[in-house]
Amino acid sequence: MSRGESSQLNWKALGDKARPVLKQVPKVTFLLGALELQAVRKRKEPQKRQKNDSTGAVTKPKEVLSFEEEEETTTRNVSHLLKCLKDTCTDDGAVHFFKFLVDPQSFSHTVENMFYLSFLVKDGRVGIRIADGVPVIYFPEDVNNAKQSTKTVKNQAIISLNMAQWQRAIQKYDITESAIPLCK
């Protein structure tokens, strides 16, 4: 190889001399086998279940009610709530929403009461309005005309109630017992 006066390599001359030697791509060979070793997975033997010697009392699963029976239960509970509402109704025809529906002993019973009341409101048999800043349940003037009247304005609302709100309602309105006994 010859170097020019600028002390740099003459790359063209170097390529011309190396070309006859590098006409083939060199083969790749490994001295010690493959580069990556795969781990041998041990096969787990299925474990046998240990039998539990202690046998408990045999219980029969609860039978699921048919759809019609569930409907009858809901209808019965709605009718029970309506009867309790009529018995609790004051002279002005209104009942305090929270004092009527909240069961201080059971959050789930309170939610069920609200659920059953929703059927009465949907059917137009009762209504909910705000009186003196508090929600009250009332009976419409004439239920039959209210159902047929096209002038009746129907609004829908979703009421959310969590445990903290339920406990605050019990304290705020001094609720000591449920106005609606459990219907069995």
Side-chain angles (χ1 to χ4, degrees):
M1 283 195 274
S2 64
R3 288 185 178 230
E5 293 180 22
S6 64
S7 74
Q8 290 185 350
L9 285 175
N10 186 350
W11 289 104
K12 182 171 180 0
L14 179 63
D16 290 339
K17 287 191 179 192
R19 185 176 306 137
V21 179
L22 299 176
K23 283 187 178 182
Q24 282 187 336
V25 177
K27 295 180 181 178
V28 178
T29 58
F30 299 102
L31 297 176
L32 299 174
L35 290 177
E36 292 183 20
L37 295 177
Q38 295 180 353
V40 178
R41 295 182 184 173
K42 292 183 181 178
R43 190 173 187 193
K44 290 185 179 179
E45 293 182 28
Q47 295 179 353
K48 293 182 179 180
R49 267 189 166 172
Q50 294 179 356
K51 292 185 178 180
N52 190 358
D53 293 337
S54 62
T55 56
V58 178
T59 57
K60 183 178 178 182
K62 182 181 175 184
E63 289 185 28
V64 178
L65 299 173
S66 69
F67 184 70
E68 292 81 21
E69 289 174 353
E70 287 181 20
E71 246 181 46
E72 289 174 8
T73 303
T74 302
T75 304
R76 186 174 57 244
N77 288 336
V78 169
S79 299
H80 176 69
L81 185 98
L82 181 61
K83 180 185 175 298
C84 292
L85 186 60
K86 287 179 180 178
D87 294 344
T88 311
C89 194
T90 59
D91 295 334
D92 63 349
V95 177
H96 190 281
F97 181 83
F98 290 107
K99 287 183 179 179
F100 179 70
L101 294 175
V102 172
D103 182 350
Q105 306 301 320
S106 173
F107 174 72
S108 62
H109 189 229
T110 301
V111 173
E112 285 177 14
N113 292 341
M114 289 181 168
F115 174 70
Y116 297 135
L117 180 72
S118 71
F119 287 99
L120 295 173
V121 172
K122 181 187 79 150
D123 293 342
R125 298 171 83 181
V126 299
I128 301 173
R129 67 174 176 228
I130 304 296
D132 299 325
V134 178
V136 293
I137 304 166
Y138 70 95
F139 290 98
E141 298 295 323
D142 187 3
V143 176
N144 293 330
N145 288 342
K147 284 183 181 178
Q148 296 170 355
S149 174
T150 57
K151 295 179 183 177
T152 304
V153 178
K154 292 186 178 183
N155 293 323
Q156 293 182 348
I158 297 174
I159 298 173
S160 67
L161 181 73
N162 60 31
M163 292 285 280
Q165 293 168 331
W166 171 69
Q167 290 170 343
R168 273 198 311 265
I170 292 170
Q171 292 172 353
K172 182 175 181 177
Y173 299 114
D174 193 30
I175 302 170
T176 56
E177 63 182 42
S178 177
I180 306 167
L182 287 172
C183 180
K184 297 281 178 164

